Amino acid sequence: MKQIKVSNNVIRRLPRYLRKLDELKVAGVDRISSGELGHQMGLTSSQIRQDFSCFGEFGQQGYGYNVTALRGEIASILGMNRDFSVVLVGVGNIGRALIENFCFEQYGFHLMSAYDVRPELIGRNIGGIPVHDISDLTRSLDGTKVDVAVLCVPKSMAASASEDLVRLGVHAIWNFTNIELNPSNPDVIVENIHFSDSLLAMGYYLSENMDIASAAAAKLNKQE
Amino acid sequence: MKQIKVSNNVIRRLPRYLRKLDELKVAGVDRISSGELGHQMGLTSSQIRQDFSCFGEFGQQGYGYNVTALRGEIASILGMNRDFSVVLVGVGNIGRALIENFCFEQYGFHLMSAYDVRPELIGRNIGGIPVHDISDLTRSLDGTKVDVAVLCVPKSMAASASEDLVRLGVHAIWNFTNIELNPSNPDVIVENIHFSDSLLAMGYYLSENMDIASAAAAKLNKQE
DNA sequence: GTTATATTGTGATACAATACACAAATGAAT
DNA sequence: ATTCATTTGTGTATTGTATCACAATATAAC
């Protein structure tokens, strides 16, 4: 094991390993080699072994990896057994979708409460989660520490809401707004879900494909 | 200009440049140097110049980049002027949130129609978009080509819905389901939004921070 | 017009990530 | 028990990415 400093690339692959291992478990597979795992995931076996070796020795020579054990190791590396506390700010369409559909518990996160400015939402209960007045953020928590804030407010309120949360002492912000947050406290972790960035990157690949296709068509025309 | 093969890293930065340039435009900035842009985005000036140089020469020595012109170049590279046609499959919470809140038009995509299996949704009109029966997918389109499908169905239906879309001839799938799609046609572009992967990566960084904090606390205790 | 200052585009260089290759170790077969 | 077939973990080579450094060229000042 090295454990000097694990690169972002490795970290971003860990959740994918987790998903694959869960899938294998469901399929009744109880052991797998790096070769087979790589084949199924479109990675090389050596990359997989290198990735895991950042954190320990989880395999056995001549045998491979025990699916359940490896799954447990990765879950632990990702902090899934830490029970992080979560609040959600901004109960619009996307906020509500997360409250009602996203299974925070499954990933070791515990959604405690939601916040909004709209009077018609405050006091209600959505998907089992109480919605409070956002200006009551500090008071309503009554000293309970908050690890993570999910930020789903409109773009125009994002910066100020983010600062409120930083002042409250959250350790991380899961940012669904379409701006780049720059928290005054640089220790606060910001994890972005930028729909538009994803769509635009897809637009690039689409354009590229179409250019290739049209170039091929032009070439074909010329040959005739 | 090189234009051999642009790396994914560069492509994933392009939407961020676009957002920053839009922001600068709103702020009334009409020219910017790579140094200043890098400073504001947390990148080095040389990386920015290298990135842009993949696609052409957009700057001027001694002057910098014209914000509007550069914005236009990047928009064009990302295919924002191509008017890709889009259908959305699965009008659950997340699908509805996208229909009602996500501005496809702004990014050069045109959402035409939505599909679901639930009879209570079929025939309705949500956010100006008609919801059809998913089994009518081919017929209802009546030969109109579809570039992109947004996939928001439940996990259990994801694989089969994906194959239906591939058979229909879509060029890309914007995948909001929590599985890895493996389209039978390898030319189909898959762009994933995996909420859980993002949250779990954040969990890793959180754990890391807390380990550092508790290690520091332990050290402090020992010193006393 | 000439000079000083700013800033790009790019070749060279340093650094990071991935793939290769093999010794060490295990399980299965005889 | 011994051999053979696997498969890991890791040192090394290769490839890919980011930074450095500077010639080339523009603007701005006088």
Side-chain angles (χ1 to χ4, degrees):
Chain A
M1 171 160 59
K2 298 178 217 170
Q3 189 61 296
I4 22 167
K5 172 77 175 89
V6 181
S7 85
N8 280 336
N9 290 3
V10 174
I11 293 156
R12 296 286 162 182
R13 277 193 292 271
L14 292 178
R16 276 192 67 208
Y17 289 131
L18 189 90
R19 261 187 297 124
K20 187 64 189 180
L21 290 166
D22 280 336
E23 192 187 290
L24 289 169
K25 261 178 96 165
V26 170
V29 178
D30 58 355
R31 82 181 222 198
I32 193 161
S33 69
S34 59
E36 179 55 24
L37 188 56
H39 177 72
Q40 291 189 28
M41 294 184 69
L43 303 170
T44 65
S45 62
S46 94
Q47 176 161 62
I48 287 176
R49 294 199 301 277
Q50 287 260 358
D51 283 355
F52 295 164
S53 79
C54 296
F55 305 102
E57 310 196 355
F58 305 143
Q60 212 165 5
Q61 286 160 331
Y63 175 90
Y65 299 88
N66 177 292
V67 171
T68 305
L70 181 58
R71 197 268 178 203
E73 294 286 357
I74 292 175
S76 159
I77 292 163
L78 291 171
M80 288 174 74
N81 43 13
R82 291 199 181 221
D83 196 37
F84 296 115
S85 61
V86 180
V87 299
L88 185 146
V89 180
V91 189
N93 256 313
I94 239 299
R96 184 176 309 216
L98 288 170
I99 293 173
E100 293 182 348
N101 286 46
F102 188 78
C103 194
F104 285 93
E105 303 290 339
Q106 188 184 333
Y107 304 106
F109 292 78
H110 179 68
L111 180 58
M112 300 188 299
S113 48
Y115 296 85
D116 207 297
V117 288
R118 283 165 288 188
E120 67 269 27
L121 289 170
I122 295 165
R124 283 184 55 190
N125 202 293
I126 292 178
I129 304 295
V131 181
H132 300 299
D133 188 335
I134 198 169
S135 58
D136 263 3
L137 197 55
T138 314
R139 193 153 8 112
S140 76
L141 285 165
D142 193 27
T144 319
K145 59 128 203 179
V146 179
D147 295 311
V148 177
V150 185
L151 190 63
C152 306
V153 299
K155 196 173 166 175
S156 58
M157 300 181 183
S160 77
S162 157
E163 275 314 298
D164 291 345
L165 291 163
V166 169
R167 228 172 293 122
L168 183 71
V170 303
H171 295 115
I173 297 176
W174 200 17
N175 175 37
F176 283 79
T177 74
N178 196 27
I179 66 161
E180 214 78 11
L181 297 179
N182 292 110
S184 55
N185 178 351
D187 289 338
V188 172
I189 295 159
V190 176
E191 172 70 26
N192 296 305
I193 298 272
H194 283 324
F195 293 132
S196 65
D197 286 20
S198 170
L199 187 69
L200 288 173
M202 188 171 79
Y204 175 86
Y205 297 118
L206 269 168
S207 303
E208 201 185 26
N209 264 15
M210 289 178 176
D211 288 345
I212 291 166
S214 67
K219 200 177 165 192
L220 210 68
N221 263 342
K222 220 174 172 184
Q223 285 180 332
E224 278 169 11
Chain B
M1 172 161 56
K2 299 178 217 171
Q3 190 60 296
I4 23 168
K5 173 76 174 89
V6 181
S7 86
N8 280 337
N9 291 359
V10 175
I11 293 155
R12 296 285 162 182
R13 277 192 292 270
L14 293 178
R16 275 192 67 207
Y17 289 130
L18 190 88
R19 260 187 298 124
K20 186 66 189 178
L21 291 167
D22 280 335
E23 193 187 289
L24 288 169
K25 261 177 97 166
V26 170
V29 178
D30 58 356
R31 82 182 223 195
I32 194 162
S33 68
S34 59
E36 179 56 25
L37 189 57
H39 177 71
Q40 292 189 26
M41 295 184 69
L43 303 170
T44 65
S45 62
S46 90
Q47 176 159 63
I48 287 176
R49 293 199 301 276
Q50 286 262 355
D51 283 355
F52 295 164
S53 79
C54 297
F55 305 103
E57 311 196 354
F58 305 144
Q60 213 164 3
Q61 285 158 333
Y63 174 90
Y65 299 89
N66 177 292
V67 170
T68 305
L70 182 58
R71 197 267 177 205
E73 294 286 356
I74 292 175
S76 159
I77 292 163
L78 291 170
M80 287 175 75
N81 44 11
R82 292 200 179 220
D83 196 38
F84 296 115
S85 61
V86 179
V87 299
L88 185 145
V89 180
V91 188
N93 256 312
I94 239 299
R96 183 175 310 215
L98 287 170
I99 293 174
E100 294 183 348
N101 285 51
F102 188 77
C103 193
F104 286 93
E105 303 290 339
Q106 189 184 334
Y107 304 106
F109 292 76
H110 180 67
L111 180 59
M112 300 188 300
S113 48
Y115 296 86
D116 207 297
V117 290
R118 286 166 286 189
E120 67 269 28
L121 289 171
I122 294 165
R124 282 185 55 191
N125 201 291
I126 292 178
I129 304 295
V131 181
H132 300 297
D133 188 337
I134 198 169
S135 59
D136 264 3
L137 198 53
T138 314
R139 195 156 2 115
S140 77
L141 286 165
D142 192 26
T144 319
K145 60 129 201 178
V146 179
D147 296 310
V148 177
V150 185
L151 190 63
C152 305
V153 300
K155 197 173 165 175
S156 58
M157 300 179 183
S160 77
S162 157
E163 274 313 298
D164 291 346
L165 291 164
V166 169
R167 229 173 292 121
L168 182 70
V170 303
H171 295 115
I173 297 176
W174 199 18
N175 176 37
F176 284 78
T177 73
N178 196 27
I179 67 162
E180 214 78 10
L181 297 180
N182 293 109
S184 55
N185 177 352
D187 290 338
V188 173
I189 296 159
V190 176
E191 172 69 26
N192 296 306
I193 299 272
H194 284 324
F195 292 133
S196 65
D197 286 20
S198 170
L199 187 69
L200 288 173
M202 188 171 78
Y204 175 87
Y205 296 119
L206 269 168
S207 303
E208 201 183 26
N209 265 14
M210 289 178 176
D211 287 347
I212 291 167
S214 67
K219 201 177 165 190
L220 210 67
N221 263 343
K222 221 175 172 183
Q223 285 182 334
E224 280 169 10

